[in-house]
Amino acid sequence: MTQPISATNDFVVKFANVNGSGSASANELFARCILRMGVAVASRNIFPSNIQGLPTWYEVRVSGEGWLGRRGGVDMMVQMNPQTWERDIDEIEPGGYVLYDSTKPLTTQKTRPDLTLLGVPLTQLSNTLEGTIPRERQLLKNVIYLGALSALLGFEPAVVEELIRKQFKGKNKLIGLNMKAVELGHSYASANLAGKCKLKVERANIVGDRIFIGGNDAAGLGAVYGGATVCAWYPITPSTSLAEAFMAHCKKFRVDPETKKNNYAIVQAEDEIAAIGMVIGAGWNGARSFTATSGPGISLMQEFFGLAYFAEIPAVIFDIQRGGPSTGMPTRTQQSDILLAAYASHGDTKHILLFPEDPRESFEFAADAFDLAERFQTPVFVMMDLDIGMNDWLCKPLEWDDAKVYDRGKIMTAEELEAGKEFGRYLDVDGDGIPYRTLPGTHPTRGAYFTRGTSRNRQARYSEEGIDYVDNMQRLLQKFDFAKTRVPQPVERPARAATRWGAIYYGSTSVAMDEALASLEARGLFVDVLRVRAFPFADSVLDFINAHDQVFVLEQNRDAQLQKLIVNECAVDPARLVSILHYDGTPITARFITDAIAERLTLSRKEAAE
């Protein structure tokens, strides 16, 4: 007989709700209660792309070890959606738990003998809340199950009350109603379900000084700190909240305290093509400008990317990747725009890509992207994804060096022009492939040039001579090659024992990879790892591959896009790279990575023994 799961500070709770039911705030309160008790959580919101009525899930990983990725599997399901009951029940681990609304008895719903059913009459209890209308009672049902969970899992009552008072600060009626709902759930569970749940939360000191923040919010703030003053965008999931975050932070940090005038411009364009055109126009004028979009927007912006690359105009693009192609899965996560962004536009192009692993790096890379864009006079793509962008992550506090000076790149001044310094817009005078540029209005008679998307010579004069075209294209390639020494460098971690196996990964895969490595080492399986943080690839990427017989490449897309980019750019034998691919739209799990690598390593050992 399967025993009920017994665990303290190490389990997964998943909430099955209906979109539009008002469950989001209660579910987030659940996660924050655990954080306030000093225990790490990793929350993932899985929601539909329609406005209301379809299933939505909220998964909370509770980890006393501090793991921040998805583990895989569910220990307790808070089942509030009859339509998904059967599939949700199948997802629960043997010996798991189901908390459900028992106002009506279970009749046709599927159950399992190994599961512990925790019935709470949520509808009945909500109807006892006096002075409420039906919509309010529907919303408060979610708070009632929060109260029940607080009793079952052992939340400290003061923590729950503190968070409710903070969330509804200044709204005393709502504070009272929500506290009453919590008390109803807590009292019922204490009286009727005591001892039936063996999952517990105990106060710990895992969280420390870390903060709980989403990647889009962090990146929006990073753009402010990075000196951005212009944002042009068109709403698209999952990037919209980045532009909104930038707007909110600008209202706080970019308003002149004396004149009260805004020192920023944010334009919601009529479409993605107009948005990137505005960004490039602002960059040409000397402003630090950006757009935030996703895969479909990147597809529409292709021709403008080619213009910015060829005319050498700074621009920053935040690509919050989602499931594709076409409309694909707008509210699901993937890493499926790598090749699209790396070679964006027709003809021969190569673009700088940055791969942050979490909101903290999203903040850092957002700020760095503007320096790189101006230093190399080119578009720079910050390749986030929905998992990073729209979910709250526990990460180290954001940091900024107030002594930092922006890198504006090679800009020729009026004084230099007046002194007779030679200026050719596409003239490489330093051997790094990067020419000098001038900003509009720098000098009344010198330093002007015509910006065009057609071929030209070093002085920016129109030319279709092959020698001028080749000269320009080779210089662009030289500039790109130089960039690999200036972008964020890979992070390498050797295993605790010698191994001929390596693994390369990037972005949001990082947190699941950390846990998977610990699980593999517990089995006596060792893998050296390299986290790639940018393209063009540093020389250390090829060195890492050459140092191992086989290298796993972990990605969240179908077509092994990073692997193909490595093969293409580093001239690596494809047979040496082993793809591990996860692309169902949910964030990759530690169990998935562990099982995939362990299977291959175990097979390799067996073959070697034979």
Side-chain angles (χ1 to χ4, degrees), residues 16-96:
N17 301 102
V18 176
N19 199 29
S21 64
S23 60
S25 60
N27 296 345
E28 185 176 329
L29 270 173
F30 172 84
R32 290 187 179 274
C33 284
I34 299 172
L35 283 173
R36 285 297 179 94
M37 291 180 65
V39 181
V41 300
S43 62
R44 299 293 188 273
N45 192 15
I46 304 168
F47 58 99
S49 57
N50 76 327
I51 296 175
Q52 189 169 351
L54 289 183
T56 182
W57 294 268
Y58 186 80
E59 183 179 290
V60 179
R61 168 77 185 282
V62 181
S63 175
E65 297 295 320
W67 302 123
L68 300 178
R70 291 183 70 222
R71 183 198 69 184
V74 175
D75 300 308
M76 175 187 283
M77 185 71 68
V78 180
Q79 177 47 257
M80 299 296 292
N81 187 358
Q83 293 180 340
T84 63
W85 178 283
E86 186 166 333
R87 63 181 286 190
D88 293 333
I89 291 295
D90 288 340
E91 194 176 348
I92 303 172
E93 299 281 286

Side-chain angles (χ1 to χ4, degrees), residues 288 370-377 406-412 434-437:
R288 290 194 158 192
F370 294 97
D371 278 355
L372 290 167
E374 292 208 290
R375 163 55 56 183
F376 292 97
Q377 301 172 26
Y406 296 143
D407 184 355
R408 300 302 307 271
K410 296 180 179 180
I411 300 177
M412 196 166 289
I434 307 171
Y436 276 84
R437 62 178 174 138

